[in-house]
Amino acid sequence: MNKNIFKFFKILASVIILWFLVHSLYITIDGFSDSGQNADLAVILGNKVNQDGTLSKRLEKRLESGINLYENHRIKKILVSGGLGKEGFYEGDKMKEFLVEKGIPDSLIIVDNHGDNTRATVINTLKLKPQLKFNSLIIVSQYFHVTRTKKLFKDQGFENVSSVSPNYFEFRDFYSIVREFPAYYTQ
């Protein structure tokens, strides 16, 4: 009996590991894929603002990806979404400041300072749909994050979603890939 239980758990562990590996490969490939599509709106997800008010390198690279989309006429407007960080700054406000400093017209930037997490960003963005009249989106976030974000939009009935990710990597990406596995299935 104990041998059978051990064998069962060994098989179960193997299945879970295989599932994790396939899932991680899928989100990595999807995250790096850029179909080249145009969209009405880019949604740039927030990230850490440093204690001195400067943007984290990760957030800066996301915003640079949004600027690239705008400069290449792939989007019409940009929505920046983030919450109030423990450092005391609203991510959305700091993101907008950065974009304006880099030449993006103020009138084309929409700020969501209540995008405290991915689900909140999705819900807040879709609440703005009647006002902004968008029919297509490009999600801008790290490669491991875009698959779940696109899934959340599609779960809310919004299908026309593509993504772009910056070419920026940190050691903590390994942790983030692990975190995305349960988040994808539970959020």
Side-chain angles (χ1 to χ4, degrees):
M1 181 93 163
N2 285 340
K3 257 186 174 179
N4 288 337
I5 291 173
F6 178 75
K7 186 176 180 181
F8 169 77
F9 282 111
K10 187 176 176 183
I11 291 170
L12 181 61
S14 297
V15 169
I16 291 171
I17 291 168
L18 180 61
W19 181 16
F20 169 77
L21 292 173
V22 169
H23 175 90
S24 298
L25 180 63
Y26 171 72
I27 67 170
T28 300
I29 291 169
D30 182 49
F32 284 123
S33 298
D34 177 0
S35 63
Q37 291 180 297
N38 293 344
D40 298 324
L41 183 68
V43 178
I44 305 176
L45 285 89
N47 203 266
K48 182 181 178 188
V49 176
N50 299 316
Q51 287 186 341
D52 64 358
T54 60
L55 305 181
S56 64
K57 197 69 164 170
R58 181 177 280 205
L59 184 53
E60 197 173 293
K61 293 299 182 183
R62 289 180 188 183
L63 293 166
E64 288 171 359
S65 292
I67 292 167
N68 189 319
L69 290 170
Y70 175 76
E71 289 175 345
N72 287 299
H73 308 288
R74 290 184 56 192
I75 56 167
K76 299 173 187 168
K77 292 188 177 194
I78 298 173
L79 185 144
V80 291
S81 182
L84 176 62
K86 65 182 179 187
E87 297 79 12
F89 299 99
Y90 281 101
E91 293 170 2
D93 290 342
K94 297 304 279 183
M95 293 164 74
K96 181 175 182 173
E97 282 177 27
F98 180 88
L99 292 172
V100 170
E101 286 173 9
K102 298 294 184 178
I104 304 296
D106 180 86
S107 61
L108 300 181
I109 306 166
I110 302 94
V111 176
D112 167 23
N113 275 323
H114 301 287
D116 298 318
N117 58 48
T118 308
R119 181 174 292 285
T121 294
V122 169
I123 290 168
N124 297 345
T125 301
L126 292 175
K127 283 181 183 174
L128 292 170
K129 189 172 186 267
Q131 175 188 342
L132 298 177
K133 297 178 178 29
F134 60 84
N135 293 310
S136 55
L137 298 172
I138 297 177
I139 301 301
V140 181
S141 190
Q142 300 321 109
Y143 68 95
F144 52 77
H145 189 216
V146 296
T147 303
R148 176 167 55 99
T149 307
K150 291 190 296 189
K151 177 186 180 298
L152 287 169
F153 272 104
K154 291 175 182 179
D155 288 351
Q156 295 294 318
F158 193 87
E159 296 286 330
N160 197 357
V161 184
S162 58
S163 62
V164 168
S165 297
N167 288 324
Y168 178 73
F169 309 95
E170 294 177 328
F171 186 73
R172 75 178 187 160
D173 289 358
F174 295 109
Y175 159 77
S176 298
I177 289 172
V178 172
R179 186 198 68 209
E180 282 300 309
F181 181 66
Y184 182 87
Y185 298 100
T186 60
Q187 191 173 24

